[in-house]
Amino acid sequence: MPLLPLVLLSGIAIGELPETSSPPSAAPAVAPAYAEDGSLLRPEGFEEWVFVGASLGLSYSPHKAEYGDEFFHNVYLDRRAYEHYVRKGEFPEKSMLAMSVYKQASKAEGPAKLQGSFEGEFVSLEVAVKDSERFEEGWAYFDFSGGETQKRTAKPFAREKCYNCHAEHASEDNVFVQFYPVLRRLKADAPNESE
Ligand code: HEC
């Protein structure tokens, strides 16, 4: 059996190995990008961020029943922000959260009907960005759904459309950590960092 480390190191002189004092980060630097008019560019590849939680039909809206459909929500946190959250327990500047929304679907299959529901038609992509240099409140909210096609850019919503509900109901820094098991769990196990 070949010695794996030797194979991996072949061709690299030992003297060139990087110092190991700071651990290498696997996270590609993802930061919010804006168009000239200040719109946010649709974050590509958000499905490769850290998946923090999902919900079905979750809403504070009193009008929910009128819509009939219950939507699936999938929430992702960009990896750089996630790693910071793991270490410090807070969301750094330039954090981005993406929430993809799907219609609930079910299927009748033969005489034995398939039970339960799955994520059917894609409905929208909503994004939250923490960028205090740009937005007075710190967090800004965007929606990339635009009818048939998804929008490439989106303008921030007015405070009363999105921000206020997040500020009022979200458990931590405008983010609904209470509904995201991956972050919730971290919080519960977080070592007491003295800094
Ligand atoms: C009435 C309350 C309410 C309003 C208004 C609201 N949200 Fe949210 N939002 C929620 C709740 C509850 C969640 C928790 C996750 C879920 O829905 O599955 C959430 C989660 C999110 C997330 C995932 C990240 C996070 O912050 O937790 C994004 C992105 C988001 N909302 C975008 C928006 C946008 C864009 C608007 C405005 C168009 C908006 N929200 C308005 C209640 C609200």
Side-chain angles (χ1 to χ4, degrees):
M1 195 180 144
L3 288 173
L4 200 59
L6 288 179
V7 173
L8 289 175
L9 286 173
S10 64
I12 304 174
I14 295 295
E16 289 170 16
L17 283 176
E19 296 287 329
T20 50
S21 54
S22 58
S25 172
V30 177
Y34 303 93
E36 269 177 24
D37 67 354
S39 307
L40 181 71
L41 303 187
R42 187 181 202 278
E44 297 301 334
F46 69 88
E47 278 152 328
E48 291 170 14
W49 297 357
V50 179
F51 179 69
V52 295
S55 68
L56 173 61
L58 194 67
S59 173
Y60 284 101
S61 169
H63 308 296
K64 202 186 100 183
E66 293 167 20
Y67 301 129
D69 278 321
E70 301 235 305
F71 296 108
F72 280 100
H73 295 168
N74 304 314
V75 180
Y76 305 82
L77 174 61
D78 83 82
R79 196 165 288 276
R80 184 195 64 94
Y82 172 77
E83 287 178 0
H84 185 101
Y85 191 88
V86 169
R87 279 184 281 114
K88 304 277 187 188
E90 53 190 39
F91 298 99
E93 281 297 321
K94 316 280 183 193
S95 286
M96 284 199 285
L97 289 130
M99 181 166 81
S100 57
V101 180
Y102 285 85
K103 271 193 184 160
Q104 185 181 358
S106 55
K107 211 172 186 151
E109 280 191 356
K113 191 179 180 298
L114 176 68
Q115 303 291 305
S117 53
F118 61 93
E119 297 184 280
E121 195 186 321
F122 179 71
V123 177
S124 69
L125 169 65
E126 300 186 16
V127 176
V129 170
K130 183 177 180 176
D131 192 342
S132 308
E133 278 174 17
R134 254 171 207 273
F135 309 110
E136 204 184 320
E137 293 94 11
W139 289 94
Y141 297 87
F142 307 84
D143 184 350
F144 290 85
S145 53
E148 296 281 292
T149 52
Q150 288 289 303
K151 293 193 275 183
R152 296 243 139 255
T153 62
K155 293 220 156 66
F157 278 97
R159 195 189 166 112
E160 48 303 349
K161 273 280 196 184
C162 316
Y163 178 93
N164 286 354
C165 178
H166 279 242
E168 185 182 345
H169 296 290
S171 65
E172 211 183 306
D173 190 13
N174 268 39
V175 182
F176 283 89
V177 171
Q178 71 264 46
F179 301 133
Y180 309 144
V182 173
L183 301 182
R184 225 162 52 202
R185 198 181 304 136
L186 279 171
K187 214 65 203 196
D189 302 345
N192 277 330
E193 289 201 21
S194 48
E195 56 189 85

